[in-house]
Amino acid sequence: MAHSKTYNIGGMDCANCAREVETGVAKLSGVQGVRVDFATSKLHLDGDVPFETLKQRVEALGKTIENESPAGEGLRPSPTIVQSGGVSGFIRYLLARRETRLALVGGAVLAAAWLAALLGLNAPLVEALYIAATGIAGYPIARSGLRTLLINRDFNINLLMTIAAVGAILIHETAEAATVIFLFAIGEALEGYTADRARNSLRSLMELAPAQAVRLSALTPQPPLPEGEGAFISLDAIPLASGNDKKPMREEVVPVEALRIGDTILVKPGERIPMDGEVTAGESGVNQAPITGESIPVHKPVGAEVYAGTINGEGALEIRVTRMAVDNTLSRIIRLVEEAQSERAPSQRLIDRFARYYTPGVVVVAALVALVPPLVFNAPFYDVPGVTQGWLYRALELLVIACPCSLVISTPVTIISAITAAARRGVLIKGGAHLEALGTVQAVAFDKTGTLTQGQPVVTQARSVDCLTDDTCDQCDDVLALAAAVERRSTHPLAQAIVRAADERQLDTTYAPAESVTVLAGRGVQGQVNGKTVTVGSHALFDREHPHARAVCDLIDAAEARGQTTMLLCDGDRVRGFISVADAARADSRAVVQELTALGLHTVMLTGDNQAVANAIGREVGVTDTRANLLPADKVDAVQALQRDYGAVVMVGDGVNDT
């Protein structure tokens, strides 16, 4: 029975390479269906084909292939050296591959030929150097063109470039032949380098989720030892957790691919959550910014859903796995990215169809130019010295002129120049098609956290119940200083926001750091300051344990309605005041949105945060519309809805959840 397999293909520098591999593999016996994605460098095969047969065909087409990975491992990147960007990264890329090393050697020989020509050295020597440069740099190009012709019965751009170079040599334009081949090879390498950088960025997403997890399993009671035998106690039998109703559990570190639905895993404070699941024990604040974009950690009690790739806060969590590794939230995000990258633009499909017919068409026309005039009109086939050029010479000229080398060379260089110029200004563009598509955009969708906002919480207000003014007073500063004393040793984002605010107001020395600090998981923190118990916690905690005036509740409700997170503070049994924290908008966000609106574009903010926060930030930056409580898949749906309403849409984001 035929089944589907996925393989990694290496050496694909352009979209046409993917089409050539797809066509060649499709001709193999036993293949029922094949699809090659250039963006992800993957071959998806339906059918029964021995791997060695498949490998021979792919390698005959000048590419490499890796055997199918075990289930689940294909999504995790293999250990590779991450390429650096810029000129140095491109040079390392050129030196790492045989084809590009030949291009560099050919370029060096070409430079030597130019120098020899400038020095007026022997003309045959100069021509020999040009021909050598053409042969060295053009060997991989000629091999690819001929193999594609023999295997796929198809003319490709490499074959046309080869014929053009040979033709240029035959009409003694050796300098042009060497120059065109060298520039073509470098242009192809630029495409391959850009594609590999994009693929490495995609593979690196999986590094957000740990490769291993701590699985909890019940200990099997050991039978009593027979009398007279030496006592032996297995370390595995020592309970790692116990309680009145809790069975002893064993901790076992396993690969995430080994986990199954229903398994229980342990995630300690500060660790990344390796799998999607449901909290079965413990409670904690979880930083979901990498997945949902929420700027403030979300409290996760028993029964709450958690996502792979998010970061656990201050409490240990036991989590029941609800999705396999290949189907968790992060894996689904990566598949969405792969599908988006593999989807060809209409212009690209048009160019593919054009190239399929253009190359053989040019060869046919050149052959007609060479043969028809001599056969029909008795015109000279070869050159007649001092009289006229032969039609063979004219046909070769046509091949050189008709070869789309100017387009092939200028387009990548122009696009790379534009992308590089944008990158220097902090804008990363995935490819030329997306660069060109910007001119047709009618709507712009923004992520909130880290895009329109700073991406980290800041204190917006510290308010004392004794404050009689609308401005900050000494009592308000004392509330902030007390809170900072308790939060100073915490790594929680809200705690760090309070400490930064106290430092900015030079309140860091008002109180010594608190002693005997205790974390109230998901609710707040307590510590001893000057012999008093100081508690900083949520409104819900204070409603239960620390009575306070209705006026304080009204102030807190008003702050939360503006999308702010609030924490109350008590000194002993007395409620002293509250602190509100929010992810503040970037200073230039409003100006950017206004400029886009002035161009007639519709602006919308998409966020995983709650509606109150979304509305507050949306009003502040001036977007036309806000949509909140969105998971990554919901953002995809929202963008697709915008496409139906407005046509071309730009999505602006900074995180994994925006990809």
Side-chain angles (χ1 to χ4, degrees):
M1 180 179 176
H3 55 282
S4 298
K5 296 182 180 179
T6 300
Y7 303 91
N8 293 321
I9 305 297
M12 290 202 300
D13 295 333
C14 63
N16 193 54
C17 297
R19 185 176 65 84
E20 290 172 0
V21 174
E22 194 172 278
T23 303
V25 172
K27 294 179 181 293
L28 291 174
S29 176
V31 174
Q32 298 178 2
V34 60
R35 178 171 59 87
V36 179
D37 293 332
F38 167 65
T40 60
S41 196
K42 288 183 179 180
L43 183 151
H44 306 278
L45 178 68
D46 293 328
D48 292 314
V49 181
F51 177 71
E52 286 303 319
T53 303
L54 181 63
K55 182 179 180 181
Q56 289 176 3
R57 174 56 53 89
V58 172
E59 290 181 347
L61 292 168
K63 310 297 183 290
T64 62
I65 183 171
E66 294 179 9
N67 205 348
E68 183 182 28
S69 300
E73 293 183 8
L75 290 172
R76 190 168 298 280
S78 57
T80 56
I81 299 175
V82 179
Q83 298 169 343
S84 60
V87 176
S88 62
F90 181 54
I91 291 174
R92 278 193 287 272
Y93 175 83
L94 292 176
L95 294 173
R97 303 176 62 197
R98 179 171 178 269
E99 293 84 355
T100 48
R101 286 197 298 268
L102 287 174
L104 288 178
V105 174
V109 176
L110 175 61
W114 284 340
L115 181 61
L118 287 174
L119 295 175
L121 298 183
N122 185 273
L125 173 63
V126 174
E127 288 228 344
L129 287 174
Y130 280 132
I131 293 173
T134 305
I136 294 170
Y139 170 71
I141 298 170
R143 184 184 61 181
S144 170
L146 291 173
R147 284 179 171 177
T148 302
L149 178 64
L150 294 174
I151 295 173
N152 293 353
R153 304 291 189 268
D154 191 13
F155 284 83
N156 65 6
I157 187 67
N158 291 334
L159 183 61
L160 186 55
M161 287 297 301
T162 302
I163 297 173
V166 172
I169 291 173
L170 290 177
I171 61 177
H172 304 293
E173 298 291 350
T174 53
E176 284 77 359
T179 303
V180 165
I181 285 293
F182 173 70
L183 291 177
F184 178 79
I186 293 299
E188 291 283 285
L190 274 171
E191 287 188 359
Y193 172 68
T194 305
D196 273 10
R197 292 275 292 166
R199 292 176 191 131
N200 284 340
S201 298
L202 176 61
R203 295 184 188 113
S204 67
L205 296 184
M206 273 309 293
E207 294 176 0
L208 288 175
Q212 296 178 320
V214 178
R215 181 169 60 190
L216 299 179
S217 56
L219 289 171
T220 303
Q222 296 185 350
L225 294 173
E227 290 187 16
E229 293 193 10
F232 173 80
I233 300 177
S234 170
L235 290 177
D236 287 340
I238 299 176
L240 295 172
S242 61
N244 293 335
D245 299 317
K246 191 174 180 66
K247 297 179 180 179
M249 304 292 283
R250 176 189 293 118
E251 296 183 5
E252 179 186 11
V253 178
V254 298
V256 293
E257 291 81 15
L259 294 174
R260 296 293 179 263
I261 294 175
D263 284 353
T264 299
I265 58 176
L266 173 67
V267 181
K268 298 175 183 178
E271 293 182 343
R272 285 189 180 270
I273 296 175
M275 299 286 283
D276 286 6
E278 178 183 333
V279 178
T280 58
E283 57 181 308
S284 180
V286 174
N287 181 357
Q288 297 188 157
I291 301 299
T292 66
E294 292 169 285
S295 55
I296 306 296
V298 178
H299 179 226
K300 297 291 184 179
V302 173
E305 185 177 11
V306 292
Y307 308 113
T310 56
I311 304 168
N312 186 23
E314 68 282 355
L317 295 176
E318 291 184 13
I319 299 169
R320 182 178 62 84
V321 175
T322 57
R323 293 190 183 94
M324 300 286 284
V326 295
D327 195 39
N328 64 33
T329 300
L330 196 57
S331 298
R332 294 201 305 274
I333 290 175
I334 290 176
R335 280 197 291 273
L336 287 171
V337 176
E338 290 180 342
E339 291 168 5
Q341 288 188 334
S342 301
E343 190 173 318
R344 294 183 178 180
S347 59
Q348 184 179 342
R349 291 194 293 268
L350 177 62
I351 291 172
D352 286 346
R353 289 196 299 270
F354 171 77
R356 184 173 300 176
Y357 298 107
Y358 176 80
T359 305
V362 166
V363 174
V364 170
V365 171
L368 292 175
V369 168
L371 298 174
V372 171
L375 294 176
V376 177
F377 302 106
N378 201 30
F381 183 69
Y382 296 106
D383 290 358
V384 179
V387 179
T388 184
Q389 291 179 335
W391 284 93
L392 174 61
Y393 183 96
R394 297 172 193 233
L396 293 174
E397 281 185 328
L398 174 63
L399 274 179
V400 175
I401 295 169
C403 178
C405 55
S406 60
L407 177 65
V408 172
I409 294 169
S410 63
T411 301
V413 172
T414 302
I415 289 174
I416 290 295
S417 298
I419 291 175
T420 303
R424 284 198 298 267
R425 293 165 175 81
V427 179
L428 302 179
I429 301 173
K430 192 169 68 175
H434 310 282
L435 185 67
E436 295 173 358
L438 286 174
T440 64
V441 168
Q442 297 297 318
V444 181
F446 289 98
D447 169 55
K448 179 184 73 67
T449 305
T451 304
L452 291 176
T453 67
Q454 296 177 12
Q456 62 179 10
V458 295
V459 172
T460 57
Q461 184 183 19
R463 180 86 176 184
S464 169
V465 295
D466 300 322
C467 182
L468 301 177
T469 69
D470 293 331
D471 299 324
T472 300
C473 62
D474 291 342
Q475 292 94 330
C476 295
D477 282 346
D478 196 56
V479 168
L480 181 60
L482 265 177
V486 177
E487 301 279 18
R488 191 160 293 278
R489 290 191 174 91
S490 174
T491 59
H492 193 283
L494 297 183
Q496 293 300 303
I498 291 173
V499 171
R500 282 196 304 271
D503 291 346
E504 289 169 2
R505 297 191 194 181
Q506 298 181 342
L507 303 173
D508 50 312
T509 58
T510 304
Y511 296 99
E515 299 175 350
S516 304
V517 175
T518 303
V519 174
L520 310 175
R523 297 176 295 162
V525 62
Q526 282 182 340
Q528 298 293 317
V529 180
N530 292 345
K532 292 185 178 181
T533 300
V534 176
T535 304
V536 181
S538 66
H539 196 186
L541 172 66
F542 273 63
D543 278 343
R544 289 195 304 269
E545 300 181 9
H546 303 281
H548 48 279
R550 181 63 210 175
V552 175
C553 290
D554 292 340
L555 291 173
I556 290 173
D557 291 342
E560 292 179 345
R562 295 191 296 270
Q564 300 174 7
T565 299
T566 57
M567 295 163 285
L568 286 89
L569 180 141
C570 70
D571 177 0
D573 294 328
R574 179 172 177 260
V575 175
R576 294 284 304 276
F578 70 92
I579 299 170
S580 57
V581 175
D583 184 12
R586 290 178 180 267
D588 54 356
S589 291
R590 185 170 184 84
V592 170
V593 172
Q594 286 178 338
E595 289 182 19
L596 293 173
T597 303
L599 293 173
L601 301 180
H602 179 81
T603 56
V604 58
M605 185 177 72
L606 309 178
T607 178
D609 240 329
N610 62 67
Q611 193 67 55
V613 173
N615 290 340
I617 296 296
R619 285 192 299 269
E620 186 174 353
V621 301
V623 293
T624 311
D625 186 19
T626 59
R627 303 183 188 183
N629 298 309
L630 302 179
L631 292 175
D634 299 325
K635 290 189 177 183
V636 174
D637 295 338
V639 171
Q640 290 174 343
L642 288 170
Q643 286 178 310
R644 290 191 294 270
D645 294 338
Y646 296 97
V649 177
V650 162
M651 173 65 192
V652 184
D654 69 309
V656 177
N657 59 299
D658 306 311
T659 53

